[in-house]
PDB file of all heavy atoms in Angstrom:
ATOM      1  N   ALA X  18      -6.668  -5.912  -9.431  1.00 98.00           N
ATOM      2  CA  ALA X  18      -5.657  -5.862  -8.373  1.00 98.00           C
ATOM      3  C   ALA X  18      -4.698  -4.693  -8.589  1.00 98.00           C
ATOM      4  O   ALA X  18      -4.234  -4.449  -9.703  1.00 98.00           O
ATOM      5  CB  ALA X  18      -4.876  -7.173  -8.332  1.00 98.00           C
ATOM      6  N   ILE X  19      -4.421  -3.987  -7.512  1.00 98.00           N
ATOM      7  CA  ILE X  19      -3.416  -2.918  -7.499  1.00 98.00           C
ATOM      8  C   ILE X  19      -2.350  -3.299  -6.486  1.00 98.00           C
ATOM      9  O   ILE X  19      -2.667  -3.570  -5.320  1.00 98.00           O
ATOM     10  CB  ILE X  19      -4.016  -1.555  -7.102  1.00 98.00           C
ATOM     11  CG1 ILE X  19      -5.188  -1.168  -7.995  1.00 98.00           C
ATOM     12  CG2 ILE X  19      -2.935  -0.471  -7.137  1.00 98.00           C
ATOM     13  CD1 ILE X  19      -5.856   0.141  -7.581  1.00 98.00           C
ATOM     14  N   ILE X  20      -1.097  -3.324  -6.907  1.00 98.00           N
ATOM     15  CA  ILE X  20       0.023  -3.507  -5.981  1.00 98.00           C
ATOM     16  C   ILE X  20       0.678  -2.144  -5.785  1.00 98.00           C
ATOM     17  O   ILE X  20       1.062  -1.485  -6.758  1.00 98.00           O
ATOM     18  CB  ILE X  20       1.045  -4.524  -6.505  1.00 98.00           C
ATOM     19  CG1 ILE X  20       0.401  -5.915  -6.616  1.00 98.00           C
ATOM     20  CG2 ILE X  20       2.263  -4.585  -5.582  1.00 98.00           C
ATOM     21  CD1 ILE X  20       1.345  -6.999  -7.117  1.00 98.00           C
ATOM     22  N   LEU X  21       0.789  -1.721  -4.524  1.00 98.00           N
ATOM     23  CA  LEU X  21       1.335  -0.406  -4.201  1.00 98.00           C
ATOM     24  C   LEU X  21       2.653  -0.551  -3.451  1.00 98.00           C
ATOM     25  O   LEU X  21       2.763  -1.357  -2.514  1.00 98.00           O
ATOM     26  CB  LEU X  21       0.332   0.390  -3.364  1.00 98.00           C
ATOM     27  CG  LEU X  21      -0.979   0.756  -4.084  1.00 98.00           C
ATOM     28  CD1 LEU X  21      -1.972   1.389  -3.112  1.00 98.00           C
ATOM     29  CD2 LEU X  21      -0.705   1.689  -5.255  1.00 98.00           C
ATOM     30  N   VAL X  22       3.640   0.240  -3.857  1.00 98.00           N
ATOM     31  CA  VAL X  22       5.013   0.109  -3.357  1.00 98.00           C
ATOM     32  C   VAL X  22       5.444   1.427  -2.691  1.00 98.00           C
ATOM     33  O   VAL X  22       5.447   2.480  -3.341  1.00 98.00           O
ATOM     34  CB  VAL X  22       5.978  -0.244  -4.511  1.00 98.00           C
ATOM     35  CG1 VAL X  22       7.350  -0.590  -3.968  1.00 98.00           C
ATOM     36  CG2 VAL X  22       5.428  -1.406  -5.348  1.00 98.00           C
ATOM     37  N   HIS X  23       5.807   1.353  -1.436  1.00 98.00           N
ATOM     38  CA  HIS X  23       6.161   2.542  -0.656  1.00 98.00           C
ATOM     39  C   HIS X  23       7.551   3.071  -0.995  1.00 98.00           C
ATOM     40  O   HIS X  23       8.321   2.440  -1.720  1.00 98.00           O
ATOM     41  CB  HIS X  23       6.083   2.230   0.841  1.00 98.00           C
ATOM     42  CG  HIS X  23       7.070   1.187   1.272  1.00 98.00           C
ATOM     43  ND1 HIS X  23       8.421   1.438   1.427  1.00 98.00           N
ATOM     44  CD2 HIS X  23       6.912  -0.135   1.584  1.00 98.00           C
ATOM     45  CE1 HIS X  23       9.044   0.347   1.812  1.00 98.00           C
ATOM     46  NE2 HIS X  23       8.156  -0.638   1.907  1.00 98.00           N
ATOM     47  N   GLY X  24       7.883   4.223  -0.417  1.00 97.00           N
ATOM     48  CA  GLY X  24       9.169   4.859  -0.664  1.00 97.00           C
ATOM     49  C   GLY X  24      10.217   4.500   0.377  1.00 97.00           C
ATOM     50  O   GLY X  24       9.993   3.696   1.285  1.00 97.00           O
ATOM     51  N   SER X  25      11.376   5.128   0.255  1.00 94.00           N
ATOM     52  CA  SER X  25      12.511   4.843   1.123  1.00 94.00           C
ATOM     53  C   SER X  25      12.194   5.176   2.578  1.00 94.00           C
ATOM     54  O   SER X  25      11.693   6.257   2.889  1.00 94.00           O
ATOM     55  CB  SER X  25      13.727   5.655   0.663  1.00 94.00           C
ATOM     56  OG  SER X  25      14.849   5.359   1.440  1.00 94.00           O
ATOM     57  N   ASN X  26      12.493   4.215   3.463  1.00 93.00           N
ATOM     58  CA  ASN X  26      12.295   4.343   4.910  1.00 93.00           C
ATOM     59  C   ASN X  26      10.837   4.465   5.324  1.00 93.00           C
ATOM     60  O   ASN X  26      10.542   4.835   6.462  1.00 93.00           O
ATOM     61  CB  ASN X  26      13.101   5.517   5.482  1.00 93.00           C
ATOM     62  CG  ASN X  26      14.594   5.294   5.360  1.00 93.00           C
ATOM     63  OD1 ASN X  26      15.065   4.163   5.393  1.00 93.00           O
ATOM     64  ND2 ASN X  26      15.347   6.368   5.186  1.00 93.00           N
ATOM     65  N   ALA X  27       9.931   4.152   4.414  1.00 96.00           N
ATOM     66  CA  ALA X  27       8.510   4.108   4.745  1.00 96.00           C
ATOM     67  C   ALA X  27       8.102   2.642   4.913  1.00 96.00           C
ATOM     68  O   ALA X  27       8.940   1.754   5.061  1.00 96.00           O
ATOM     69  CB  ALA X  27       7.689   4.804   3.661  1.00 96.00           C
ATOM     70  N   SER X  28       6.808   2.392   4.879  1.00 98.00           N
ATOM     71  CA  SER X  28       6.290   1.037   5.043  1.00 98.00           C
ATOM     72  C   SER X  28       4.938   0.959   4.351  1.00 98.00           C
ATOM     73  O   SER X  28       4.411   1.967   3.847  1.00 98.00           O
ATOM     74  CB  SER X  28       6.138   0.696   6.528  1.00 98.00           C
ATOM     75  OG  SER X  28       5.142   1.519   7.124  1.00 98.00           O
ATOM     76  N   LEU X  29       4.348  -0.222   4.343  1.00 98.00           N
ATOM     77  CA  LEU X  29       3.056  -0.382   3.678  1.00 98.00           C
ATOM     78  C   LEU X  29       1.960   0.452   4.329  1.00 98.00           C
ATOM     79  O   LEU X  29       0.909   0.713   3.723  1.00 98.00           O
ATOM     80  CB  LEU X  29       2.666  -1.864   3.619  1.00 98.00           C
ATOM     81  CG  LEU X  29       2.574  -2.708   4.900  1.00 98.00           C
ATOM     82  CD1 LEU X  29       1.397  -2.364   5.784  1.00 98.00           C
ATOM     83  CD2 LEU X  29       2.512  -4.193   4.534  1.00 98.00           C
ATOM     84  N   HIS X  30       2.192   0.908   5.561  1.00 98.00           N
ATOM     85  CA  HIS X  30       1.178   1.709   6.256  1.00 98.00           C
ATOM     86  C   HIS X  30       0.869   3.012   5.537  1.00 98.00           C
ATOM     87  O   HIS X  30      -0.219   3.565   5.703  1.00 98.00           O
ATOM     88  CB  HIS X  30       1.646   2.009   7.682  1.00 98.00           C
ATOM     89  CG  HIS X  30       1.874   0.784   8.514  1.00 98.00           C
ATOM     90  ND1 HIS X  30       3.064   0.080   8.469  1.00 98.00           N
ATOM     91  CD2 HIS X  30       1.085   0.127   9.387  1.00 98.00           C
ATOM     92  CE1 HIS X  30       2.987  -0.949   9.298  1.00 98.00           C
ATOM     93  NE2 HIS X  30       1.805  -0.958   9.862  1.00 98.00           N
ATOM     94  N   THR X  31       1.805   3.484   4.735  1.00 98.00           N
ATOM     95  CA  THR X  31       1.592   4.753   4.043  1.00 98.00           C
ATOM     96  C   THR X  31       0.417   4.695   3.075  1.00 98.00           C
ATOM     97  O   THR X  31      -0.141   5.724   2.700  1.00 98.00           O
ATOM     98  CB  THR X  31       2.884   5.173   3.299  1.00 98.00           C
ATOM     99  OG1 THR X  31       2.817   6.552   2.942  1.00 98.00           O
ATOM    100  CG2 THR X  31       3.107   4.349   2.029  1.00 98.00           C
ATOM    101  N   TRP X  32       0.019   3.461   2.676  1.00 98.00           N
ATOM    102  CA  TRP X  32      -1.061   3.290   1.700  1.00 98.00           C
ATOM    103  C   TRP X  32      -2.435   3.094   2.337  1.00 98.00           C
ATOM    104  O   TRP X  32      -3.440   3.032   1.608  1.00 98.00           O
ATOM    105  CB  TRP X  32      -0.754   2.103   0.787  1.00 98.00           C
ATOM    106  CG  TRP X  32       0.504   2.254   0.007  1.00 98.00           C
ATOM    107  CD1 TRP X  32       1.650   1.536   0.138  1.00 98.00           C
ATOM    108  CD2 TRP X  32       0.755   3.200  -1.049  1.00 98.00           C
ATOM    109  NE1 TRP X  32       2.603   1.961  -0.760  1.00 98.00           N
ATOM    110  CE2 TRP X  32       2.081   2.987  -1.501  1.00 98.00           C
ATOM    111  CE3 TRP X  32      -0.015   4.197  -1.661  1.00 98.00           C
ATOM    112  CZ2 TRP X  32       2.649   3.734  -2.522  1.00 98.00           C
ATOM    113  CZ3 TRP X  32       0.563   4.952  -2.672  1.00 98.00           C
ATOM    114  CH2 TRP X  32       1.875   4.711  -3.097  1.00 98.00           C
ATOM    115  N   GLU X  33      -2.507   2.989   3.646  1.00 98.00           N
ATOM    116  CA  GLU X  33      -3.797   2.695   4.283  1.00 98.00           C
ATOM    117  C   GLU X  33      -4.890   3.718   3.955  1.00 98.00           C
ATOM    118  O   GLU X  33      -6.049   3.342   3.775  1.00 98.00           O
ATOM    119  CB  GLU X  33      -3.616   2.556   5.791  1.00 98.00           C
ATOM    120  CG  GLU X  33      -2.933   1.257   6.205  1.00 98.00           C
ATOM    121  CD  GLU X  33      -3.691   0.021   5.742  1.00 98.00           C
ATOM    122  OE1 GLU X  33      -4.880  -0.123   6.086  1.00 98.00           O
ATOM    123  OE2 GLU X  33      -3.091  -0.800   5.012  1.00 98.00           O
ATOM    124  N   PRO X  34      -4.566   5.017   3.840  1.00 98.00           N
ATOM    125  CA  PRO X  34      -5.631   5.959   3.441  1.00 98.00           C
ATOM    126  C   PRO X  34      -6.227   5.637   2.075  1.00 98.00           C
ATOM    127  O   PRO X  34      -7.433   5.839   1.861  1.00 98.00           O
ATOM    128  CB  PRO X  34      -4.911   7.318   3.432  1.00 98.00           C
ATOM    129  CG  PRO X  34      -3.789   7.152   4.409  1.00 98.00           C
ATOM    130  CD  PRO X  34      -3.317   5.736   4.211  1.00 98.00           C
ATOM    131  N   LEU X  35      -5.415   5.139   1.130  1.00 98.00           N
ATOM    132  CA  LEU X  35      -5.954   4.783  -0.188  1.00 98.00           C
ATOM    133  C   LEU X  35      -6.718   3.469  -0.135  1.00 98.00           C
ATOM    134  O   LEU X  35      -7.699   3.286  -0.870  1.00 98.00           O
ATOM    135  CB  LEU X  35      -4.830   4.692  -1.226  1.00 98.00           C
ATOM    136  CG  LEU X  35      -4.123   5.983  -1.601  1.00 98.00           C
ATOM    137  CD1 LEU X  35      -3.268   5.775  -2.847  1.00 98.00           C
ATOM    138  CD2 LEU X  35      -5.099   7.126  -1.825  1.00 98.00           C
ATOM    139  N   VAL X  36      -6.278   2.547   0.720  1.00 98.00           N
ATOM    140  CA  VAL X  36      -7.014   1.287   0.875  1.00 98.00           C
ATOM    141  C   VAL X  36      -8.451   1.588   1.308  1.00 98.00           C
ATOM    142  O   VAL X  36      -9.406   1.001   0.787  1.00 98.00           O
ATOM    143  CB  VAL X  36      -6.321   0.366   1.905  1.00 98.00           C
ATOM    144  CG1 VAL X  36      -7.179  -0.870   2.186  1.00 98.00           C
ATOM    145  CG2 VAL X  36      -4.940  -0.054   1.401  1.00 98.00           C
ATOM    146  N   LYS X  37      -8.606   2.516   2.241  1.00 98.00           N
ATOM    147  CA  LYS X  37      -9.945   2.866   2.731  1.00 98.00           C
ATOM    148  C   LYS X  37     -10.800   3.498   1.643  1.00 98.00           C
ATOM    149  O   LYS X  37     -12.024   3.310   1.611  1.00 98.00           O
ATOM    150  CB  LYS X  37      -9.826   3.831   3.914  1.00 98.00           C
ATOM    151  CG  LYS X  37      -9.186   3.218   5.152  1.00 98.00           C
ATOM    152  CD  LYS X  37      -9.035   4.251   6.252  1.00 98.00           C
ATOM    153  CE  LYS X  37      -8.361   3.646   7.481  1.00 98.00           C
ATOM    154  NZ  LYS X  37      -8.145   4.655   8.554  1.00 98.00           N
ATOM    155  N   ARG X  38     -10.178   4.223   0.730  1.00 98.00           N
ATOM    156  CA  ARG X  38     -10.936   4.966  -0.271  1.00 98.00           C
ATOM    157  C   ARG X  38     -11.136   4.200  -1.576  1.00 98.00           C
ATOM    158  O   ARG X  38     -12.070   4.494  -2.320  1.00 98.00           O
ATOM    159  CB  ARG X  38     -10.235   6.303  -0.534  1.00 98.00           C
ATOM    160  CG  ARG X  38     -10.370   7.266   0.645  1.00 98.00           C
ATOM    161  CD  ARG X  38      -9.326   8.369   0.612  1.00 98.00           C
ATOM    162  NE  ARG X  38      -9.543   9.344   1.689  1.00 98.00           N
ATOM    163  CZ  ARG X  38      -9.159   9.160   2.946  1.00 98.00           C
ATOM    164  NH1 ARG X  38      -8.530   8.052   3.297  1.00 98.00           N
ATOM    165  NH2 ARG X  38      -9.408  10.086   3.855  1.00 98.00           N
ATOM    166  N   LEU X  39     -10.260   3.272  -1.886  1.00 98.00           N
ATOM    167  CA  LEU X  39     -10.346   2.536  -3.153  1.00 98.00           C
ATOM    168  C   LEU X  39     -10.681   1.058  -2.978  1.00 98.00           C
ATOM    169  O   LEU X  39     -10.939   0.362  -3.956  1.00 98.00           O
ATOM    170  CB  LEU X  39      -9.015   2.657  -3.911  1.00 98.00           C
ATOM    171  CG  LEU X  39      -8.599   4.061  -4.347  1.00 98.00           C
ATOM    172  CD1 LEU X  39      -7.186   4.039  -4.933  1.00 98.00           C
ATOM    173  CD2 LEU X  39      -9.579   4.633  -5.367  1.00 98.00           C
ATOM    174  N   GLY X  40     -10.687   0.597  -1.732  1.00 98.00           N
ATOM    175  CA  GLY X  40     -10.851  -0.824  -1.479  1.00 98.00           C
ATOM    176  C   GLY X  40     -12.199  -1.398  -1.857  1.00 98.00           C
ATOM    177  O   GLY X  40     -12.317  -2.605  -2.077  1.00 98.00           O
ATOM    178  N   ALA X  41     -13.214  -0.574  -1.937  1.00 98.00           N
ATOM    179  CA  ALA X  41     -14.533  -1.096  -2.312  1.00 98.00           C
ATOM    180  C   ALA X  41     -14.551  -1.537  -3.778  1.00 98.00           C
ATOM    181  O   ALA X  41     -15.348  -2.413  -4.159  1.00 98.00           O
ATOM    182  CB  ALA X  41     -15.606  -0.037  -2.069  1.00 98.00           C
ATOM    183  N   THR X  42     -13.688  -0.948  -4.590  1.00 98.00           N
ATOM    184  CA  THR X  42     -13.669  -1.251  -6.023  1.00 98.00           C
ATOM    185  C   THR X  42     -12.493  -2.145  -6.404  1.00 98.00           C
ATOM    186  O   THR X  42     -12.634  -3.011  -7.273  1.00 98.00           O
ATOM    187  CB  THR X  42     -13.585   0.060  -6.833  1.00 98.00           C
ATOM    188  OG1 THR X  42     -14.700   0.894  -6.479  1.00 98.00           O
ATOM    189  CG2 THR X  42     -13.607  -0.218  -8.328  1.00 98.00           C
ATOM    190  N   TYR X  43     -11.344  -1.941  -5.764  1.00 98.00           N
ATOM    191  CA  TYR X  43     -10.113  -2.617  -6.176  1.00 98.00           C
ATOM    192  C   TYR X  43      -9.584  -3.536  -5.075  1.00 98.00           C
ATOM    193  O   TYR X  43      -9.776  -3.291  -3.883  1.00 98.00           O
ATOM    194  CB  TYR X  43      -9.040  -1.581  -6.528  1.00 98.00           C
ATOM    195  CG  TYR X  43      -9.426  -0.701  -7.685  1.00 98.00           C
ATOM    196  CD1 TYR X  43     -10.015   0.549  -7.463  1.00 98.00           C
ATOM    197  CD2 TYR X  43      -9.235  -1.118  -8.994  1.00 98.00           C
ATOM    198  CE1 TYR X  43     -10.381   1.356  -8.527  1.00 98.00           C
ATOM    199  CE2 TYR X  43      -9.593  -0.314 -10.061  1.00 98.00           C
ATOM    200  CZ  TYR X  43     -10.178   0.914  -9.828  1.00 98.00           C
ATOM    201  OH  TYR X  43     -10.556   1.714 -10.885  1.00 98.00           O
ATOM    202  N   ARG X  44      -8.928  -4.584  -5.508  1.00 98.00           N
ATOM    203  CA  ARG X  44      -8.157  -5.415  -4.599  1.00 98.00           C
ATOM    204  C   ARG X  44      -6.802  -4.743  -4.437  1.00 98.00           C
ATOM    205  O   ARG X  44      -6.079  -4.550  -5.420  1.00 98.00           O
ATOM    206  CB  ARG X  44      -7.990  -6.815  -5.184  1.00 98.00           C
ATOM    207  CG  ARG X  44      -7.187  -7.769  -4.307  1.00 98.00           C
ATOM    208  CD  ARG X  44      -7.069  -9.128  -4.964  1.00 98.00           C
ATOM    209  NE  ARG X  44      -6.412 -10.093  -4.091  1.00 98.00           N
ATOM    210  CZ  ARG X  44      -6.222 -11.374  -4.406  1.00 98.00           C
ATOM    211  NH1 ARG X  44      -6.629 -11.834  -5.595  1.00 98.00           N
ATOM    212  NH2 ARG X  44      -5.622 -12.189  -3.544  1.00 98.00           N
ATOM    213  N   ILE X  45      -6.444  -4.392  -3.223  1.00 98.00           N
ATOM    214  CA  ILE X  45      -5.226  -3.605  -3.011  1.00 98.00           C
ATOM    215  C   ILE X  45      -4.223  -4.404  -2.195  1.00 98.00           C
ATOM    216  O   ILE X  45      -4.479  -4.788  -1.054  1.00 98.00           O
ATOM    217  CB  ILE X  45      -5.547  -2.257  -2.339  1.00 98.00           C
ATOM    218  CG1 ILE X  45      -6.546  -1.475  -3.196  1.00 98.00           C
ATOM    219  CG2 ILE X  45      -4.261  -1.455  -2.134  1.00 98.00           C
ATOM    220  CD1 ILE X  45      -6.911  -0.135  -2.657  1.00 98.00           C
ATOM    221  N   VAL X  46      -3.082  -4.635  -2.800  1.00 98.00           N
ATOM    222  CA  VAL X  46      -2.004  -5.398  -2.176  1.00 98.00           C
ATOM    223  C   VAL X  46      -0.863  -4.430  -1.870  1.00 98.00           C
ATOM    224  O   VAL X  46      -0.410  -3.682  -2.746  1.00 98.00           O
ATOM    225  CB  VAL X  46      -1.507  -6.526  -3.108  1.00 98.00           C
ATOM    226  CG1 VAL X  46      -0.322  -7.262  -2.480  1.00 98.00           C
ATOM    227  CG2 VAL X  46      -2.649  -7.490  -3.429  1.00 98.00           C
ATOM    228  N   THR X  47      -0.417  -4.442  -0.629  1.00 98.00           N
ATOM    229  CA  THR X  47       0.725  -3.611  -0.228  1.00 98.00           C
ATOM    230  C   THR X  47       1.767  -4.508   0.425  1.00 98.00           C
ATOM    231  O   THR X  47       1.458  -5.571   0.947  1.00 98.00           O
ATOM    232  CB  THR X  47       0.289  -2.504   0.752  1.00 98.00           C
ATOM    233  OG1 THR X  47      -0.353  -3.110   1.889  1.00 98.00           O
ATOM    234  CG2 THR X  47      -0.684  -1.545   0.086  1.00 98.00           C
ATOM    235  N   LEU X  48       3.026  -4.075   0.385  1.00 98.00           N
ATOM    236  CA  LEU X  48       4.098  -4.879   0.969  1.00 98.00           C
ATOM    237  C   LEU X  48       5.178  -3.982   1.534  1.00 98.00           C
ATOM    238  O   LEU X  48       5.334  -2.830   1.119  1.00 98.00           O
ATOM    239  CB  LEU X  48       4.706  -5.819  -0.081  1.00 98.00           C
ATOM    240  CG  LEU X  48       5.465  -5.173  -1.250  1.00 98.00           C
ATOM    241  CD1 LEU X  48       6.609  -6.085  -1.708  1.00 98.00           C
ATOM    242  CD2 LEU X  48       4.526  -4.919  -2.439  1.00 98.00           C
ATOM    243  N   ASP X  49       5.897  -4.527   2.513  1.00 98.00           N
ATOM    244  CA  ASP X  49       7.100  -3.874   3.020  1.00 98.00           C
ATOM    245  C   ASP X  49       8.278  -4.381   2.200  1.00 98.00           C
ATOM    246  O   ASP X  49       8.582  -5.582   2.206  1.00 98.00           O
ATOM    247  CB  ASP X  49       7.322  -4.211   4.495  1.00 98.00           C
ATOM    248  CG  ASP X  49       6.370  -3.473   5.431  1.00 98.00           C
ATOM    249  OD1 ASP X  49       5.871  -2.412   5.035  1.00 98.00           O
ATOM    250  OD2 ASP X  49       6.146  -3.970   6.550  1.00 98.00           O
ATOM    251  N   LEU X  50       8.931  -3.477   1.501  1.00 97.00           N
ATOM    252  CA  LEU X  50      10.072  -3.859   0.676  1.00 97.00           C
ATOM    253  C   LEU X  50      11.223  -4.388   1.533  1.00 97.00           C
ATOM    254  O   LEU X  50      11.285  -4.115   2.740  1.00 97.00           O
ATOM    255  CB  LEU X  50      10.550  -2.655  -0.133  1.00 97.00           C
ATOM    256  CG  LEU X  50       9.611  -2.151  -1.232  1.00 97.00           C
ATOM    257  CD1 LEU X  50      10.122  -0.830  -1.787  1.00 97.00           C
ATOM    258  CD2 LEU X  50       9.458  -3.183  -2.347  1.00 97.00           C
ATOM    259  N   PRO X  51      12.138  -5.138   0.951  1.00 96.00           N
ATOM    260  CA  PRO X  51      13.325  -5.584   1.700  1.00 96.00           C
ATOM    261  C   PRO X  51      14.042  -4.407   2.361  1.00 96.00           C
ATOM    262  O   PRO X  51      14.237  -3.358   1.752  1.00 96.00           O
ATOM    263  CB  PRO X  51      14.194  -6.218   0.610  1.00 96.00           C
ATOM    264  CG  PRO X  51      13.212  -6.724  -0.395  1.00 96.00           C
ATOM    265  CD  PRO X  51      12.125  -5.691  -0.422  1.00 96.00           C
ATOM    266  N   GLY X  52      14.395  -4.592   3.638  1.00 95.00           N
ATOM    267  CA  GLY X  52      15.060  -3.525   4.378  1.00 95.00           C
ATOM    268  C   GLY X  52      14.117  -2.468   4.888  1.00 95.00           C
ATOM    269  O   GLY X  52      14.560  -1.381   5.276  1.00 95.00           O
ATOM    270  N   HIS X  53      12.835  -2.771   4.938  1.00 96.00           N
ATOM    271  CA  HIS X  53      11.824  -1.803   5.368  1.00 96.00           C
ATOM    272  C   HIS X  53      10.757  -2.492   6.221  1.00 96.00           C
ATOM    273  O   HIS X  53      10.535  -3.702   6.101  1.00 96.00           O
ATOM    274  CB  HIS X  53      11.121  -1.159   4.166  1.00 96.00           C
ATOM    275  CG  HIS X  53      11.988  -0.278   3.343  1.00 96.00           C
ATOM    276  ND1 HIS X  53      12.857  -0.766   2.397  1.00 96.00           N
ATOM    277  CD2 HIS X  53      12.136   1.075   3.313  1.00 96.00           C
ATOM    278  CE1 HIS X  53      13.495   0.243   1.814  1.00 96.00           C
ATOM    279  NE2 HIS X  53      13.075   1.368   2.354  1.00 96.00           N
ATOM    280  N   GLY X  54      10.076  -1.659   7.023  1.00 97.00           N
ATOM    281  CA  GLY X  54       8.918  -2.141   7.751  1.00 97.00           C
ATOM    282  C   GLY X  54       9.192  -3.415   8.517  1.00 97.00           C
ATOM    283  O   GLY X  54      10.243  -3.604   9.135  1.00 97.00           O
TER     284      GLY X  54
END
């Protein structure tokens, strides 16, 4: 499992390109931090 954390004023959508490329091997969890997304 990989948990990925976005930057300021971004959202979990920023990680979708990596989900497409790494998802076959890894379980990828993304989240919108408090005050975001």
Side-chain angles (χ1 to χ4, degrees):
I19 305 177
I20 296 181
L21 295 173
V22 189
H23 64 76
S25 183
N26 295 329
S28 66
L29 56 71
H30 300 84
T31 196
W32 299 112
E33 286 301 303
L35 292 193
V36 173
K37 294 177 181 177
R38 289 161 175 81
L39 297 173
T42 303
Y43 298 95
R44 180 180 185 178
I45 302 181
V46 177
T47 56
L48 66 148
D49 285 336
L50 292 171
H53 293 81

